[in-house]
C-alpha cells in the first residue's frame, strides 16, 4: 500500500485502456520524486483479486461502486494518481476530480485497439468484435474524459518521455 500522505495529488491521469496511463504515471512520479498510485492496483490489493476478475464477478455496476471507494482513497494521497479507464463513468468520481489537476492521456481507436489486442485481463474489452467494441467504448467515455480533464495529451507514436515532458509543462504552468 502506498504511503498515504493525506494531500492532494500533483496530477491525476485518466483515459481509455491502453492509452499509457500507468507507464506515463510511473515516469511522472519518478521525475517528480513523488509516489505513484494506481487505483486499479489499490483495488487488486484491497480485494485480493485482479480487477478484471472482480469486474467479471461483480458486473460493471457493482464494480464501479467498489472502484469509486478506491478512487476516493487514491485521490487522498499525494503524488501522481492513475485511474482505471472507466472510473470517470461514476458521477461521484467526476465530482471529486473537480478538485484536482486532471490530464486525459488519450489514444486513437486504432492505436488503443493495437495496444489492447489479446489482453485477456480486461473483461470490459471482451467482445465478438473487439475493434468495434473499443471504438464504442471511446465514443461513450469521451464526453466524461472531456468533462474532467484540464489538459489532453495523445500518446500515439510518441515516446513516453515526450508525453511526460508535456504533462510536466502543464502541471508546472
Amino acid at each position: 500500500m502506498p504511503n498515504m500522505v493525506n494531500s492532494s495529488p500533483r496530477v491525476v491521469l485518466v483515459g481509455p485502456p491502453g492509452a499509457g496511463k500507468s507507464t506515463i504515471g510511473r515516469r511522472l512520479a519518478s521525475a517528480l520524486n513523488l509516489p505513484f498510485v494506481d487505483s486499479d492496483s489499490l483495488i487488486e490489493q484491497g480485494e485480493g483479486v485482479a480487477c478484471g476478475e472482480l469486474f467479471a464477478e461483480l458486473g460493471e455496476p457493482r464494480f464501479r461502486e467498489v472502484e469509486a471507494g478506491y478512487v476516493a482513497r487514491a485521490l487522498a494521497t499525494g503524488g501522481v494518481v492513475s485511474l482505471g479507464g472507466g472510473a470517470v463513468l461514476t458521477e461521484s468520481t467526476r465530482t471529486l476530480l473537480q478538485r484536482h489537476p486532471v490530464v486525459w492521456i488519450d489514444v486513437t481507436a486504432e492505436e488503443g485497439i493495437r495496444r489492447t489486442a489479446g489482453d485477456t485481463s480486461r473483461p470490459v474489452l471482451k467482445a465478438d468484435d473487439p475493434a468495434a467494441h473499443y471504438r464504442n467504448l471511446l465514443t461513450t467515455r469521451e464526453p466524461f474524459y472531456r468533462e474532467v480533464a484540464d489538459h489532453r495529451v495523445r500518446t500515439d507514436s510518441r515516446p513516453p518521455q515526450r508525453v511526460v515532458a508535456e504533462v510536466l509543462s502543464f502541471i508546472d504552468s
Side-chain angles (χ1 to χ4, degrees):
M1 175 82 173
N3 181 21
M4 300 297 212
V5 292
N6 292 322
S7 63
S8 288
R10 185 74 192 273
V11 65
V12 180
L13 307 178
V14 300
K21 297 178 301 291
S22 295
T23 299
I24 301 306
R26 279 190 293 275
R27 288 175 178 237
L28 272 171
S30 178
L32 294 165
N33 197 28
L34 291 170
F36 173 65
V37 180
D38 183 316
S39 67
D40 284 351
S41 293
L42 288 181
I43 292 168
E44 291 176 358
Q45 291 167 8
E47 300 299 315
V49 65
C51 277
E53 290 178 45
L54 190 64
F55 184 97
E57 177 186 318
L58 299 178
E60 187 165 10
R62 179 69 184 116
F63 176 82
R64 296 293 173 212
E65 290 174 22
V66 170
E67 178 183 51
Y70 285 98
V71 166
R73 286 177 53 198
L75 293 175
T77 66
V80 176
V81 175
S82 173
L83 301 186
V88 297
L89 297 172
T90 305
E91 187 175 352
S92 63
T93 294
R94 294 193 310 274
T95 299
L96 286 174
L97 288 174
Q98 293 173 2
R99 303 182 204 142
H100 305 287
V102 177
V103 174
W104 174 9
I105 305 296
D106 199 11
V107 66
T108 61
E110 293 69 30
E111 183 64 11
I113 291 163
R114 186 188 69 75
R115 291 180 186 180
T116 59
D119 185 345
T120 58
S121 70
R122 302 177 195 248
V124 74
L125 297 179
K126 286 186 181 168
D128 291 335
D129 184 346
H133 184 67
Y134 192 92
R135 284 185 185 86
N136 183 57
L137 184 139
L138 288 182
T139 301
T140 302
R141 294 179 181 180
E142 182 171 341
F144 298 110
Y145 294 136
R146 199 174 293 287
E147 175 187 333
V148 301
D150 299 303
H151 188 70
R152 180 181 185 181
V153 180
R154 284 252 190 203
T155 60
D156 299 64
S157 305
R158 296 181 71 197
Q161 63 268 22
R162 289 209 26 230
V163 176
V164 168
E166 184 175 334
V167 175
L168 287 171
S169 282
F170 163 71
I171 63 176
D172 287 339
S173 60

